[in-house]
Amino acid sequence: MNTSATELASLLCSRLCHDMLSPVGALSNGLELLADETDPAMRKQCMELLEQSARISRDKLKFFRLAFGAAGGFGDAVPVEESKAVIEALAVDGKKIELNWAIEGPSLPKPAVKVMLNFAHIALDALIRGGSLDIGAEMREGAAEIVVRASGPRIAFDDTIGKVIEGNMAPGELSSRTAAAHMIALLAEETGGGLQYKRTDETLVLGAVLPQPAGMIG
């Protein structure tokens, strides 16, 4: 399926707006409550709500910057600690998630970071009852290899997203819900690499191999 850059960009913007609506709305509500409230205890609760909403908004924007944007200021590679901090912030949403890391080297190429972050987001969404999230990445023979594994008592995963990840999207399957998966599938295709997934009732595994341009191989 051919998709214009404009269509994909508009769908990713729709996704961003959808995900930001809740924390920004909570900020607005908190400010309204704070303006009318005189009880010290209630004002303290309002401030806590505002701080929480501001933190969630900040964390989501950091994720979008690295997962969808150009991530200016990092050059061709992004420090691993920056990527880990973004994923750790996403994992703190009320569900009990155990994060395990196996990432070699101090940094990863930007395309690999985009794929890893989007894989992590998909995997976290699948862990509706909590569980563990294992993230591994390394550079091997001029290519970035990434594996993200979600394990839990129940995996909620739409196989349509899986088909999009593998580049098998059918007409009508591109939406704001599948746009991120389509973006990283295009990214993998551009690098000459590929993405794949495998799921069971209790496990979802997402994998990628992304060859790097000769000038970026250290």
Side-chain angles (χ1 to χ4, degrees):
M1 176 182 177
N2 294 325
T3 305
S4 71
T6 301
E7 182 181 7
L8 180 58
S10 67
L11 289 171
L12 289 173
C13 285
S14 294
R15 165 70 180 277
L16 186 153
C17 292
H18 175 273
D19 284 8
M20 290 300 299
L21 184 60
S22 178
V24 172
L27 275 172
S28 178
N29 292 337
L31 288 171
E32 289 180 5
L33 290 172
L34 191 62
D36 298 331
E37 188 57 63
T38 58
D39 180 72
M42 291 300 296
R43 288 182 64 85
K44 181 180 179 181
Q45 289 185 18
C46 288
M47 290 302 298
E48 290 174 352
L49 171 64
L50 289 171
E51 290 173 359
Q52 180 186 44
S53 300
R55 184 178 65 254
I56 292 172
S57 298
R58 179 201 63 199
D59 292 340
K60 284 182 177 290
L61 286 172
K62 284 184 176 180
F63 168 79
F64 288 128
R65 179 193 180 202
L66 291 179
F68 298 157
F74 289 113
D76 292 330
V78 176
V80 166
E81 291 304 317
E82 196 80 22
S83 304
K84 290 175 66 175
V86 170
I87 295 173
E88 287 168 352
L90 287 180
V92 181
D93 63 355
K95 295 182 294 187
K96 187 176 181 181
I97 303 291
E98 177 188 345
L99 280 170
N100 301 302
W101 303 95
I103 301 180
E104 294 189 3
S107 63
L108 288 169
K110 281 184 179 178
V113 169
K114 288 183 184 296
V115 171
M116 183 174 69
L117 291 182
N118 279 281
F119 274 178
H121 195 276
I122 291 169
L124 285 169
D125 281 348
L127 291 171
I128 57 174
R129 293 182 182 173
S132 63
L133 183 64
D134 305 319
I135 300 175
E138 65 175 332
M139 298 298 298
R140 179 183 297 182
E141 298 179 356
E145 297 184 3
I146 302 162
V147 176
V148 174
R149 183 177 185 269
S151 303
R154 184 183 173 192
I155 297 294
F157 180 72
D158 186 347
D159 284 321
T160 299
I161 294 177
K163 289 195 298 180
V164 175
I165 285 173
E166 294 185 331
N168 298 320
M169 181 174 62
E173 290 181 339
L174 182 61
S175 65
S176 59
R177 184 172 56 85
T178 59
H182 182 53
M183 182 197 72
I184 59 174
L186 290 176
L187 187 61
E189 182 180 354
E190 290 171 0
T191 65
L195 313 178
Q196 60 182 341
Y197 83 103
K198 183 177 182 180
R199 64 162 296 188
T200 66
D201 290 340
E202 298 181 350
T203 304
L204 172 66
V205 179
L206 304 161
V209 176
L210 305 172
Q212 298 302 304
M216 292 179 60
I217 299 174

